[in-house]
Amino acid sequence: MEESLVPLGFRFSPSDEEIVDSFLYPFLVESKPFMSLYNNFIHSCNLFGNNTEPSEIWKKYGGPQLVDTDLYFISKLNKLTPKRMDRRIGNGGTWSETESSKLVHEKVSGNPNPNPIGRKRKFRYENKGSEDHTGWLLDEYSLFDGPKNDYNQRSYDFDFVICRMRKNDRVGIKATNLKRGSQDTEEKKMNTNKKMKKDDQMGSTESSSQQGCSSSPIGGDLVEFDPIDLTIFEENTMADMEQLLGEAWSPSNFENVVSHDVDPIGETQSSQLSNWSQAILNQLLVGV
């Protein structure tokens, strides 16, 4: 197995001053190539005028395998004028500057007012037609060729810059929250549908139970009696009515009525027979 040129536990995370003073200056002024170790971390790729999406560049140069680090590139500027750069990239996208640039000062121990040696600019990838839209950030480092009287000057002294590209964590967090929110909404919708379905089933069961009230609580059918025919009082004398009433309450008739239901004690039928007999009795009393 080939041994890695990267020392164990090494992380390439240079400061702004180190990028400009220790990498850009030797490369641009002294024409010194990067040490072989750093060639594993600073790749040569033009990030301006490139038709490749940032996510594809990230994948090509091993971004998915990185842990707690970013990708670094030495990139050539695509100049339109000394002050205007063409920053197009991908399929219709561009690197859009997000904030004012800041000066990078030389790192000199004990010097409270170090000289500015370069400039740092911040960009974000924008392309509304791409999934990469706002998902990538770029820090661009440029080198001054000497002391400047006007630090607000926007022109570049050299044609090459070092860029640090990384994912936009805010977009990742937002996408995760949106996905989580969508899942929560879908779960709530499913639970609501389940509850509504359960309520419908319970309502159907209760409706069936209410419809079954026409049957005896014990399961038998109630014995129905025909409405009282009042002509019986016109066709029979008082003596005949007394005889009919006695026959209605005879033990044999009572047993016949009770036998129509599974109720062993015949409480329902007894109550109905009593009501029928009471109606006859009331008519008898009226006729007295």
Side-chain angles (χ1 to χ4, degrees):
M1 180 183 232
E2 184 178 354
E3 293 185 2
S4 173
L5 297 177
V6 180
L8 184 64
F10 176 83
R11 295 289 184 274
F12 187 70
S13 183
S15 65
D16 295 344
E17 293 80 9
E18 290 172 335
I19 291 175
V20 176
D21 193 27
S22 301
F23 292 99
L24 263 183
Y25 182 84
F27 183 83
L28 295 175
V29 177
E30 300 176 355
S31 299
K32 292 182 178 179
F34 300 134
M35 294 176 57
S36 58
L37 171 64
Y38 298 122
N39 285 331
N40 295 313
F41 301 99
I42 303 178
H43 310 281
S44 179
C45 178
N46 293 333
L47 301 181
F48 310 106
N50 195 325
N51 294 327
T52 308
E53 291 287 297
S55 60
E56 297 173 352
I57 296 175
W58 179 266
K59 182 178 180 180
K60 178 180 179 180
Y61 290 95
Q65 287 74 45
L66 298 178
V67 179
D68 298 330
T69 189
D70 308 317
L71 284 179
Y72 292 82
F73 299 93
I74 182 76
S75 177
K76 185 176 182 179
L77 293 170
N78 192 8
K79 290 185 176 182
L80 299 177
T81 68
K83 293 184 179 182
R84 291 184 59 235
M85 305 293 126
D86 181 4
R87 301 191 184 281
R88 288 177 294 177
I89 184 175
N91 299 317
T94 184
W95 293 111
S96 179
E97 196 161 4
T98 58
E99 58 185 75
S100 300
S101 62
K102 75 170 189 176
L103 296 174
V104 179
H105 298 83
E106 62 181 346
K107 192 174 182 178
V108 180
S109 178
N111 185 356
N113 297 308
N115 295 322
I117 56 176
R119 191 183 299 275
K120 177 182 179 180
R121 295 175 173 88
K122 292 188 175 183
F123 300 89
R124 178 180 62 200
Y125 180 70
E126 294 186 356
N127 184 358
K128 294 183 178 181
S130 170
E131 294 182 356
D132 285 5
H133 177 59
T134 72
W136 298 92
L137 302 177
L138 192 75
D139 296 336
E140 178 199 88
Y141 298 89
S142 58
L143 176 70
F144 294 155
D145 61 1
K148 291 185 178 293
N149 296 325
D150 183 6
Y151 295 135
N152 293 322
Q153 184 178 340
R154 303 285 295 175
S155 61
Y156 289 80
D157 295 335
F158 297 92
D159 293 338
F160 286 87
V161 293
I162 286 182
C163 297
R164 175 169 59 195
M165 191 172 79
R166 65 186 184 279
K167 290 183 177 181
N168 189 352
D169 293 334
R170 292 184 178 181
V171 173
I173 293 173
K174 181 178 180 181
T176 300
N177 291 337
L178 288 174
K179 182 178 180 181
R180 185 177 302 164
S182 177
Q183 291 174 343
D184 292 342
T185 301
E186 187 66 23
E187 184 176 353
K188 289 179 180 178
K189 183 178 180 181
M190 292 177 62
N191 291 336
T192 301
N193 291 338
K194 288 181 180 179
K195 185 178 184 302
M196 292 176 62
K197 185 176 181 181
K198 184 176 180 181
D199 291 343
D200 290 342
Q201 292 175 345
M202 292 180 63
S204 177
T205 302
E206 291 177 357
S207 177
S208 299
S209 176
Q210 292 174 356
Q211 293 175 359
C213 289
S214 61
S215 301
S216 168
I218 305 180
D221 294 332
L222 297 179
V223 176
E224 297 181 356
F225 294 92
D226 294 333
I228 299 174
D229 186 1
L230 297 180
T231 58
I232 190 173
F233 298 103
E234 300 174 357
E235 298 174 355
N236 295 276
T237 66
M238 183 65 67
D240 293 335
M241 294 300 301
E242 291 177 352
Q243 181 180 356
L244 288 173
L245 183 58
E247 291 177 356
W249 278 99
S250 66
S252 60
N253 285 339
F254 185 78
E255 292 175 358
N256 291 335
V257 173
V258 173
S259 64
H260 282 78
D261 195 85
V262 297
D263 185 353
I265 61 174
E267 292 181 356
T268 304
Q269 289 73 20
S270 176
S271 176
Q272 292 181 354
L273 185 57
S274 175
N275 293 338
W276 182 77
S277 300
Q278 184 66 43
I280 297 176
L281 182 60
N282 291 339
Q283 292 296 330
L284 289 174
L285 292 176
V286 171
V288 174

